[in-house]
Amino acid sequence: MASTDPAREAWSIAFELAMSNRSRLLMALGELDLTFMQAHVLRLLDTEQPTTMSDLAESLHCDASNITGIADRLEARALVERKSAPRDRRVKALVLTKSGLETRDRAREAMREPPDAIRGLSKADQRALRDILRRAIAG
């Protein structure tokens, strides 16, 4: 039975589009030797100031122990460094290294690459879709 709720239908379509693009994205991130979650953590790190592990856990809606494992793997690859937080030396924060910044930029490019389904739309439709999604995010 088809949905009569346009919001549910729109979200279902957006989710289907994202899932159909998942394999391509995971392959591109794999070429950088990153998991999706590692790339997402790199994407969230602030280049201007350290990001605490607890702030990352909150942003990702996960337990801090999950962030520890991700941070361990990123640190082992010299993509991030652990530093004491400025306000509390007991709190650990992550900082991107130069290599981490370069890898993050490459991961961001892979994450920004649109699927063929969007690339195949007319420029007018691409702009309309962009504008609608911006309003949805801002709302």
Side-chain angles (χ1 to χ4, degrees):
M1 174 190 257
S3 172
T4 58
D5 180 349
R8 290 178 67 92
E9 188 177 1
W11 176 243
S12 178
I13 292 166
F15 186 79
E16 183 70 27
L17 182 61
M19 292 308 289
S20 70
N21 192 48
R22 186 173 183 223
S23 293
R24 184 203 57 79
L25 178 58
L26 292 177
M27 188 180 320
L29 294 175
E31 290 173 8
L32 298 172
D33 198 25
L34 293 172
T35 65
F36 178 82
M37 191 56 74
Q38 290 168 345
H40 191 39
V41 165
L42 290 176
R43 191 178 74 80
L44 293 175
L45 292 177
D46 188 332
T47 57
E48 301 300 317
Q49 65 183 27
T51 305
T52 67
M53 308 265 280
S54 58
D55 285 348
L56 278 173
E58 187 176 317
S59 293
L60 295 169
H61 306 285
C62 69
D63 192 80
S65 64
N66 293 341
I67 300 303
T68 300
I70 294 166
D72 288 345
R73 290 184 285 284
L74 293 172
E75 189 175 38
R77 292 188 51 207
L79 300 177
V80 300
E81 293 178 346
R82 279 187 177 96
K83 302 226 176 194
S84 295
R87 291 181 299 246
D88 186 343
R89 293 175 41 91
R90 296 169 296 170
V91 174
K92 295 299 176 198
L94 296 179
V95 178
L96 286 168
T97 63
K98 183 177 184 221
S99 177
L101 182 59
E102 292 166 2
T103 301
R104 183 194 66 179
D105 290 347
R106 292 175 61 201
R108 278 184 169 175
E109 276 307 306
M111 293 170 127
R112 287 184 185 129
E113 187 61 35
D116 291 341
I118 290 177
R119 193 171 293 289
L121 296 173
S122 70
K123 293 295 180 195
D125 283 349
Q126 290 174 9
R127 283 189 290 276
L129 179 60
R130 176 202 61 202
D131 295 345
I132 290 167
L133 292 173
R134 277 188 181 155
R135 287 195 308 270
I137 294 288

